[in-house]
Structures are given as structure tokens and as C-alpha cells.
């Protein structure tokens, strides 16, 4: 390939992915609409996933097989299915079957789909954290008169969750990234998240630069959260930092000045 041909190929590659005029044109819509909707979908899915995960984790820890079985099926199925299939089953399949808890609004189905997936993964995180707590903690709480549910809620579960905070934060990063797949549900105007907006711009301009702009927005969300996960993991492993040592206490001095030796005897004489 000649030098002019190489220059043309290089310019075409740069223009396809790093057309800064197109990136600058896409950014305002990504920030004002896409970023807010991505955060809403991710936050809603995280809250829903944590609620589902707490219930599923408690069922998984039951001694009764019939109680554990539904939770085990839920966790295994939704951890095993590709995310895109779950999104389509929830967002398209449920309304088609006449199950419309959110009417025709795809935004609610998007949160529900990502929340169900997040709950399956977070349930296993909670289960492992709770099981890592020493069994003596539960026995000690029961010996104080607490019921099983109260002992779990007040003593065991808080300790277990504290131990898996880094893993939970990592799952939250995953939820943010997986929210990009809800574009398949055909979100309405004003509901489009980051990837949907970038995808529309790519289809309009036949240029991939909007995807770079959306990627930068995702990185602005996930990289700080990833570093926070690493910091949290390090702090939990190292334990709390020791505080400053207290200043040494000053010795108690007599309130009256000391008299020289022999003064009292001289006065008596």
C-alpha cells in the first residue's frame, strides 16, 4: 500500500471513530437525557435487585428443601440466561402474554428486567456473606431470647452484608453496563438511555463516533465506582485505622507550694 493510500485509510479510521465534531454534537443529548435515564434504570434495578436478593438469600439458607427449591431455581435460571434474553422475555414477552404491570410503558419493564437479573446475582453474594458469619453469633443471639428471624435480621445479616460490600459494589457496576441492553424495548422519547441515543446517531450518520461519546459517559460512571470498590475492599481487609494516641496525662501537683525542709520545725522553736 502506497503512502497516500495509507494516509487515506488512517484518516478514514480516525474519522469513523473520532469525529470530534460529531462527538461534540452528540454529547449534550447524552448528558441531558441519556445519562439521567441510565442512572434511573440502574438505580431502580439495584434497589429492586437488593430487595429480591435478601428474600432469595433467606430462602436459600433454609433447612427445608421445598423452601430452598424456588429460590435455587430462580438464581440458577437468571444467572444462566443471557441478559438479552431476559430483557426480551420481560419487556416483550410479559406484555404479549397480557401481563402488563406497567401498562405499555417500556421504562418500567426495563427496570424490572435488569432488577431480576441483579437480584439473582446479589442473592448468591448475600448467601455467601451470611454463611461466612460464625454460627456462634446466631446461637448467642438465640440464647438471649431473640427469635430466629430477629437474630438473623439484627445480628447475622448485617455482619454478612458488611463482608460482601465490595462484591455488591462490583455488581452495581455490572448493572450500569447491562442497562444498555434495554434499548431493545423501544424506549419512548425522553426515556432513551446512553446507548439508545448513540445507536440512533450511528444509524443517522453512518459513523461510530457517537458510540465513543457514549462509552466515555459509561466510563465516567463505572471507573470512579470501580476505584471505590477497590478502596472499600482494601479498607475492609485492613480494618479501621488506629486513631491518634491520647496525650499523656499531666501529674497531679499539690495545690499549696512545698515548704523547704526544717521550716516547720524552726517556726515551732
Amino acid at each position: 500500500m502506497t503512502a497516500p493510500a495509507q494516509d487515506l485509510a488512517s484518516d478514514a479510521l480516525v474519522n469513523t471513530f473520532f469525529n470530534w465534531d460529531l462527538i461534540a454534537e452528540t454529547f449534550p443529548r447524552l448528558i441531558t437525557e441519556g445519562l439521567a435515564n441510565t442512572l434511573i434504570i440502574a438505580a431502580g434495578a439495584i434497589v429492586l435487585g437488593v430487595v429480591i436478593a435478601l428474600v432469595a438469600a433467606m430462602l436459600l439458607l433454609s433447612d427445608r428443601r421445598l423452601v430452598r427449591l424456588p429460590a435455587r431455581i430462580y438464581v440458577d435460571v437468571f444467572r444462566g440466561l443471557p441478559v438479552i434474553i431476559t430483557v426480551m422475555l420481560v419487556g416483550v414477552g410479559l406484555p404479549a402474554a397480557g401481563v402488563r404491570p406497567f401498562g405499555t410503558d417500556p421504562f418500567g419493564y426495563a427496570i424490572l428486567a435488569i432488577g431480576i437479573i441483579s437480584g439473582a446475582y446479589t442473592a448468591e453474594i448475600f448467601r455467601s456473606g451470611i454463611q461466612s458469619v460464625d454460627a456462634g453469633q446466631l446461637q448467642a443471639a438465640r440464647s438471649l431470647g431473640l427469635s430466629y428471624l430477629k437474630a438473623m435480621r439484627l445480628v447475622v445479616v448485617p455482619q454478612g452484608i458488611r463482608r460482601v460490600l465490595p462484591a455488591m459494589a462490583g455488581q452495581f457496576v455490572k448493572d450500569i453496563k447491562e442497562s444498555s441492553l434495554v434499548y431493545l424495548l423501544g424506549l419512548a422519547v425522553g426515556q432513551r438511555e446512553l446507548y439508545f441515543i448513540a445507536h440512533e446517531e450511528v444509524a443517522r450518520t453512518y459513523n461510530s463516533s457517537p458510540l465513543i461519546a457514549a462509552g466515555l459517559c459509561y466510563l465516567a460512571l463505572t471507573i470512579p465506582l470501580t476505584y471505590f470498590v477497590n478502596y472499600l475492599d482494601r479498607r475492609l481487609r485492613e480494618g479501621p485505622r488506629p486513631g491518634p494516641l491520647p496525650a499523656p496525662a499531666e501529674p497531679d501537683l499539690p495545690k499549696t507550694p512545698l515548704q523547704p525542709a526544717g521550716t516547720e520545725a524552726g517556726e515551732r522553736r
Side-chain angles (χ1 to χ4, degrees):
M1 184 180 294
T2 62
Q6 290 178 347
D7 292 340
L8 288 175
S10 177
D11 291 342
L13 183 64
V14 171
N15 184 67
T16 299
F17 291 100
F18 298 100
N19 186 326
W20 296 109
D21 291 336
L22 188 54
I23 290 176
E25 180 184 339
T26 309
F27 254 125
R29 192 175 168 205
L30 288 173
I31 299 299
T32 58
E33 180 181 353
L35 184 61
N37 289 326
T38 293
L39 289 175
I40 292 173
I41 293 171
I46 288 169
V47 173
L48 178 61
V50 168
V51 173
I52 295 175
L54 282 172
V55 176
M58 297 302 294
L59 296 179
L60 289 172
L61 293 170
S62 174
D63 295 331
R64 300 180 181 180
R65 185 172 182 273
L66 291 179
V67 176
R68 294 196 311 268
L69 186 60
R72 176 50 57 192
I73 292 174
Y74 159 72
V75 169
D76 289 346
V77 167
F78 287 104
R79 290 180 72 194
L81 284 176
V83 177
I84 193 171
I85 291 181
T86 302
V87 170
M88 294 300 290
L89 287 175
V90 173
V92 178
L94 287 182
V99 181
R100 300 185 177 92
F102 306 103
T104 58
D105 184 7
F107 206 74
Y109 297 100
I111 295 175
L112 178 61
I114 304 300
I116 289 175
I117 299 167
S118 177
Y121 283 93
T122 310
E124 279 294 289
I125 295 173
F126 283 163
R127 180 196 58 77
S128 63
I130 293 171
Q131 285 186 328
S132 69
V133 179
D134 187 78
Q137 297 282 336
L138 177 62
Q139 295 171 2
R142 294 299 303 276
S143 67
L144 293 175
L146 295 178
S147 65
Y148 174 80
L149 291 178
K150 275 193 173 183
M152 291 294 290
R153 179 170 59 87
L154 299 177
V155 179
V156 179
V157 172
Q159 294 184 63
I161 291 178
R162 182 181 180 275
R163 297 183 181 188
V164 297
L165 282 177
M168 287 176 57
Q171 178 60 39
F172 297 161
V173 172
K174 187 178 178 183
D175 293 339
I176 293 174
K177 294 187 292 185
E178 288 178 348
S179 68
S180 62
L181 291 174
V182 302
Y183 86 97
L184 295 167
L185 304 182
L187 299 174
V189 175
Q191 296 180 337
R192 293 175 172 85
E193 39 73 46
L194 290 170
Y195 177 75
F196 198 133
I197 293 174
H199 179 74
E200 283 186 331
E201 290 299 313
V202 170
R204 182 180 67 84
T205 61
Y206 296 98
N207 190 292
S208 298
S209 297
L211 291 176
I212 299 297
L216 293 174
C217 292
Y218 279 111
L219 291 176
L221 294 175
T222 57
I223 288 180
L225 190 53
T226 301
Y227 276 94
F228 174 72
V229 171
N230 296 335
Y231 166 78
L232 189 63
D233 184 42
R234 185 171 62 253
R235 286 299 304 272
L236 289 177
R237 282 188 285 105
E238 294 175 353
R241 296 178 181 176
L245 295 175
E250 296 183 359
D252 293 334
L253 299 176
K255 297 181 179 180
T256 58
L258 294 176
Q259 297 178 348
T263 303
E264 184 178 350
E267 291 177 353
R268 285 200 297 267
R269 288 196 297 269

